[in-house]
Amino acid sequence: MMFTIKKIGMAVLVGVALTQVSYSLDFQMPDGNNSILGQLQQSRVSWGDNFYKIGRRFDIGYDAMAAANSQYNPQEIPLFFHVQVPSEFMLPPGPRDGIVVNVAEKRLFYYNVASNQVMTFPVGIGKQGWGTPLGVLKVIEKIVNPTWYAPKDILQALANQGYTNVPSQIPEGPQDPLGAFALRLSNPDYLIHGTNDPASIGTQASSGCIRLFPEDIAQLFAEVPQGTDVRIIDDPYEIGWNNTSLYLVVFQPLSGDPALDLDQIDAQLLYETQGMNVNINWRKVGYTVLTQDGIPTKIGSAQPL
């Protein structure tokens, strides 16, 4: 009987360990103009689960999990129900080279041209009033065990809120907000780094830097060479192809961003498909814009001319 109990106990421990494993999301570069990666998954809700824990197991951020499962209260996910894991992605528009961060999606893509692969990770970005800067930057320095130095504007903002005993720097260790690895950008006030607050990944929570799960920044840090381009965009919707199928993905606008304009999206779809024989399901377009669930949705198909 004791042997059986030990076996059950070991099985429970193994199960708990497995729930902490994050799935590395590496994909072969799609051919031609194809933009769709991965596929949707489901996860059964277990004791103690929430969107953060489930998302981390699949390398998905908190807001993405909440948007894909808007029928549930994030604080009260029904036990043993299945939630949707939005692990299908559309590559951002533009060159497929270096690092691309879409702040609207709260996701980073790294194109490894040498291996013809794409790595993608959820990120935490700047909160309202402390936005992550848009534009094209470069990785100018790779830092192991970085020390966090408090920017003057952050110290001033905290002082205005009554926090006057804030340290001006935090060395490596469990209290370091930067985690174990950092990539300094050519706008040197901003980093791509780890975190000591993994529950913030996939949300607007930083002072402008780009945060990754500790396990993700370790993987990205090992792959990205100094000098890599970093293109930061804010695209709340994207249009792409998977062979002859046309897809649309819509993300919830960031705090402080304007609401999405359906007419603008319709006009962009017409522009992207001009000169082509494409059947577009406009009702599905409207529904996708309404739900803003961050999941690539097939909205049409191309036919031979």
Side-chain angles (χ1 to χ4, degrees):
M1 186 66 175
M2 182 64 70
F3 177 72
T4 302
I5 293 174
K6 287 183 178 179
K7 285 179 66 178
I8 293 174
M10 182 61 69
V12 170
L13 289 174
V14 171
V16 169
L18 286 175
T19 63
Q20 303 304 313
V21 175
S22 175
Y23 291 79
S24 176
L25 295 177
D26 302 344
F27 301 95
Q28 194 72 16
M29 193 87 73
D31 294 332
N33 294 321
N34 291 350
S35 300
I36 303 299
L37 304 175
Q39 60 185 5
L40 295 177
Q41 301 178 77
Q42 288 193 335
S43 180
R44 188 167 180 263
V45 179
S46 300
W47 291 103
D49 265 346
N50 54 39
F51 283 150
Y52 156 66
K53 291 181 180 179
I54 297 172
R56 190 171 183 180
R57 292 201 292 267
F58 290 89
D59 222 9
I60 305 295
Y62 178 88
D63 284 356
M65 286 295 302
N69 296 278
S70 59
Q71 70 273 32
Y72 297 132
N73 180 340
Q75 307 305 321
E76 298 178 1
I77 310 174
L79 189 62
F80 306 134
F81 275 51
H82 284 82
V83 296
Q84 187 155 238
V85 178
S87 48
E88 183 176 49
F89 312 101
M90 184 182 295
L91 291 178
R96 296 181 178 181
D97 189 18
I99 292 173
V100 180
V101 178
N102 185 1
V103 294
E105 186 177 1
K106 305 181 187 77
R107 199 157 191 94
L108 179 152
F109 296 82
Y110 172 55
Y111 298 98
N112 189 328
V113 177
S115 64
N116 200 39
Q117 289 188 310
V118 186
M119 303 167 68
T120 179
F121 307 102
V123 296
I125 61 168
K127 54 194 169 186
Q128 187 175 359
W130 300 84
T132 299
L134 306 181
V136 179
L137 305 172
K138 284 186 179 292
V139 174
I140 62 170
E141 186 181 9
K142 298 177 66 173
I143 312 167
V144 178
N145 294 324
T147 296
W148 179 78
Y149 295 94
K152 291 181 180 179
D153 51 355
I154 292 179
L155 290 175
Q156 184 60 54
L158 290 171
N160 293 341
Q161 298 174 36
Y163 300 100
T164 56
N165 194 27
V166 178
S168 60
Q169 66 182 66
I170 300 177
E172 62 176 280
Q175 302 304 315
D176 185 356
L178 302 182
F181 302 97
L183 303 172
R184 187 175 300 281
L185 303 180
S186 48
N187 183 340
D189 290 337
Y190 296 94
L191 306 168
I192 299 174
H193 61 78
T195 184
N196 65 345
D197 181 19
S200 69
I201 300 303
T203 71
Q204 290 180 255
S206 79
S207 299
C209 286
I210 298 167
R211 303 176 177 176
L212 282 79
F213 285 131
E215 60 273 21
D216 286 348
I217 188 61
Q219 187 176 0
L220 182 67
F221 188 91
E223 294 288 335
V224 172
Q226 189 167 316
T228 297
D229 283 342
V230 179
R231 185 163 55 93
I232 306 174
I233 62 177
D234 182 5
D235 282 358
Y237 68 91
E238 295 170 352
I239 300 165
W241 292 90
N242 190 28
N243 298 317
T244 60
S245 297
L246 180 64
Y247 282 78
L248 172 68
V249 60
V250 179
F251 309 105
Q252 296 177 356
L254 301 178
S255 298
D257 280 4
L260 290 173
D261 185 339
L262 179 57
D263 290 338
Q264 180 183 352
I265 295 175
D266 288 352
Q268 184 68 25
L269 281 167
L270 290 172
Y271 175 80
E272 295 285 348
T273 58
Q274 63 182 339
M276 304 172 65
N277 183 17
V278 181
N279 295 321
I280 297 177
N281 185 332
W282 294 105
R283 180 172 295 180
K284 188 169 285 187
V285 171
Y287 181 77
T288 303
V289 174
L290 179 66
T291 57
Q292 301 175 1
D293 60 8
I295 297 172
T297 301
K298 181 180 176 180
I299 57 166
S301 58
Q303 306 296 326
L305 291 173

